[in-house]
Amino acid sequence: MSSIPAITGLDTDELETRFNQLGQPGYRAAQVLDWIYAKGAVDFESMTNLPASLRTELSSHFTISPLSPVDGTRSGDTTRKYLFKLNDGRYIETVLIPASPALYGERSDRYTLCVSSQVGCAYGCRFCASGLDGFARNLDAGEITAQVLAVSRLSGKKINNIVFMGMGEPLANLQNLLKAISIINAPWGIGIGARHMTVSTSGLAPQIRKFADHPLQVRLAVSLHGASDEVRETIMPVNKKHPIDELLDSLHYYKSKKKQKITFEYILIEDINDSSEQARLLASIASSLKAKVNLIPYNRVEGLPWKRPGEPVQEAFLKILTSRGIQATLRREKGHDIEAACGQLRLRKERGEKVP
Ligand code: SAH
Ligand code: SF4
């Protein structure tokens, strides 16, 4: 991690305290935050209402940009992927996606940003590129919020929704995640409403309870991908630690605390989890929680044997859900978008392979 902390990980109170320690009046904090979040400043030099000596001093204590864009950023039919280098030389990905009607039912001129929470992932789901080289480290709050600032700046788009569905398991980095969420949410910060943020988890039941206790009404998505322990544990090792019953208990707890519907994500992988029996089990799980279901045809990952089932199987799976009254959607994108699942670009880069 960078030895110089990112100022984008501090809230107003913390910044005021730091300014007081530097012998500065507390109102400087509001000035600096205004430069960063309202005016989009990328260096302290441009903060012209601060004394020059203070600007120099701030540069020696903080960085504003703990990540820099590198080649490899690409656009597909629908998405735009950004590859960022962190100050310790590691890589993460952030993906800009036009409207996500499945999640929010919104107009198509809106943008969703898919944000990473860790470098790599320790949970080792068998189908996922993010976990292939294991876990490196947590992102700090400043590195999480900086992804939002950097993509707004680079794309020129206003970002309406945030999904923590990039690399990593957000609930395994709960403290930094909650800090980042509060900064992204704050009126002095990025100003995105809690209801426009979704945290996706592979099912860490104890952390789901802690997350439920947090006052902000952030949405929750759960990567289920298997509707029985037998199927789920073949592709998601986390299920051995927190089996489906324990996961569902924690989701009922979440539901008792929050107004938003839970979303189940369910990747369809041929001959693994796409049977009609799994669809029926999934329907009964979703119905007990009044949850929505997003079906996602699997995106191939180089080096892994899995693939998506044909369209008739996908449609049949969907029909079993909808005929049982479940609010379900099936992603029907054309072809496989630029390695659309997060983690794949970064994996190539870290392995020293060419990013095409
Ligand atoms: N660790 C969290 C959040 C990051 S993954 C989680 O697992 O929920 C975001 C989503 O992408 C998860 O639902 C994950 O299962 C899915 N995913 C991973 N690899 C994929 C692939 N190759 N094709 C389609 N979805 C994939
Ligand atoms: Fe980690 Fe989520 Fe990928 Fe599983 S699906 S390896 S939890 S990022």
Side-chain angles (χ1 to χ4, degrees):
M1 210 170 300
S2 158
S3 49
I4 303 186
I7 201 160
T8 51
L10 298 185
D11 61 26
T12 326
D13 290 348
E14 289 166 326
L15 205 53
E16 275 179 19
T17 308
R18 290 300 305 269
F19 272 106
N20 290 334
Q21 287 165 351
L22 296 173
Q24 289 289 329
Y27 67 80
R28 295 283 185 220
Q31 287 180 315
V32 168
L33 292 172
D34 183 61
W35 275 107
I36 296 173
Y37 295 102
K39 300 196 177 88
V42 290
D43 54 49
F44 293 105
E45 252 340 278
S46 57
M47 301 183 180
T48 45
N49 58 351
L50 303 185
S53 59
L54 177 60
R55 287 183 248 159
T56 311
E57 192 170 8
L58 285 175
S59 325
S60 69
H61 287 284
F62 299 109
T63 166
I64 300 182
S65 305
L67 37 82
S68 45
V70 294
D71 283 354
T73 292
R74 291 189 290 161
S75 301
D77 292 349
T78 50
T79 59
R80 202 183 300 174
K81 275 201 163 197
Y82 295 87
L83 188 61
F84 291 111
K85 189 173 190 172
L86 304 172
N87 287 339
D88 66 354
R90 306 249 184 209
Y91 295 93
I92 54 166
E93 292 174 44
T94 310
V95 186
L96 185 65
I97 313 159
S100 184
L103 272 174
Y104 300 104
E106 281 176 345
R107 301 192 315 269
S108 58
D109 60 342
R110 297 178 79 83
Y111 284 86
T112 295
L113 193 67
C114 178
V115 172
S116 291
S117 56
Q118 299 182 313
V119 181
C121 182
Y123 289 86
C125 301
R126 305 265 183 262
F127 47 80
C128 175
S130 291
L132 275 183
D133 274 0
F135 171 72
R137 69 170 174 87
N138 281 331
L139 296 185
D140 63 30
E143 290 168 325
I144 298 175
T145 52
Q147 293 171 62
V148 186
L149 288 173
V151 175
S152 308
R153 194 175 65 245
L154 294 166
S155 67
K157 306 286 185 206
K158 177 171 161 34
I159 293 162
N160 309 98
N161 305 305
I162 303 288
V163 294
F164 292 91
M165 293 183 184
M167 202 193 317
E169 168 50 55
L171 293 190
N173 186 14
L174 191 60
Q175 205 186 343
N176 293 337
L177 174 80
L178 292 176
K179 185 75 181 297
I181 285 176
S182 74
I183 296 170
I184 295 170
N185 178 248
W188 54 259
I190 299 173
I192 297 178
R195 287 172 178 74
H196 292 272
M197 292 190 238
T198 301
V199 170
S200 177
T201 179
S202 59
L204 308 190
Q207 282 86 339
I208 288 174
R209 289 173 186 269
K210 287 191 191 150
F211 182 65
D213 289 334
H214 191 266
L216 283 179
Q217 293 284 329
V218 178
R219 291 171 195 254
L220 184 67
V222 178
S223 295
L224 199 63
H225 311 332
S228 61
D229 285 327
E230 201 191 354
V231 168
R232 193 167 193 260
E233 75 187 26
T234 59
I235 48 177
M236 299 183 74
V238 68
N239 196 74
K240 295 219 171 73
K241 202 160 177 210
H242 305 295
I244 291 180
D245 277 348
E246 184 191 339
L247 172 59
L248 297 184
D249 280 351
S250 72
L251 295 178
H252 280 288
Y253 180 73
Y254 176 90
K255 222 174 121 54
S256 72
K257 298 283 203 150
K258 307 275 175 189
K259 297 185 198 80
Q260 276 81 29
K261 282 194 173 181
I262 293 166
T263 302
F264 284 116
E265 294 158 88
Y266 196 99
I267 314 177
L268 290 168
I269 310 177
E270 187 173 64
D271 294 336
I272 299 289
N273 64 0
D274 60 349
S275 69
S276 48
E277 194 203 342
Q278 286 291 302
R280 285 191 294 272
L281 287 170
L282 175 57
S284 89
I285 290 174
S287 137
S288 77
L289 282 154
K290 296 193 168 48
K292 299 189 277 187
V293 175
N294 275 346
L295 297 176
I296 306 150
Y298 183 64
N299 279 303
R300 282 199 95 122
V301 175
E302 212 183 289
L304 296 181
W306 322 99
K307 62 175 181 164
R308 57 175 65 177
E311 277 171 28
V313 173
Q314 299 175 22
E315 299 289 346
F317 198 98
L318 174 67
K319 198 150 176 245
I320 292 174
L321 299 176
T322 50
S323 68
R324 282 165 171 73
I326 308 298
Q327 194 184 335
T329 54
L330 168 65
R331 194 183 292 170
R332 294 182 180 90
E333 83 247 14
K334 284 188 227 103
H336 296 220
D337 211 344
I338 43 150
E339 295 180 348
C342 262
Q344 301 184 43
L345 274 182
R346 162 262 169 186
L347 194 67
R348 284 172 187 243
K349 198 83 185 173
E350 297 237 332
R351 286 178 172 177
E353 293 169 18
K354 211 169 150 276
V355 177

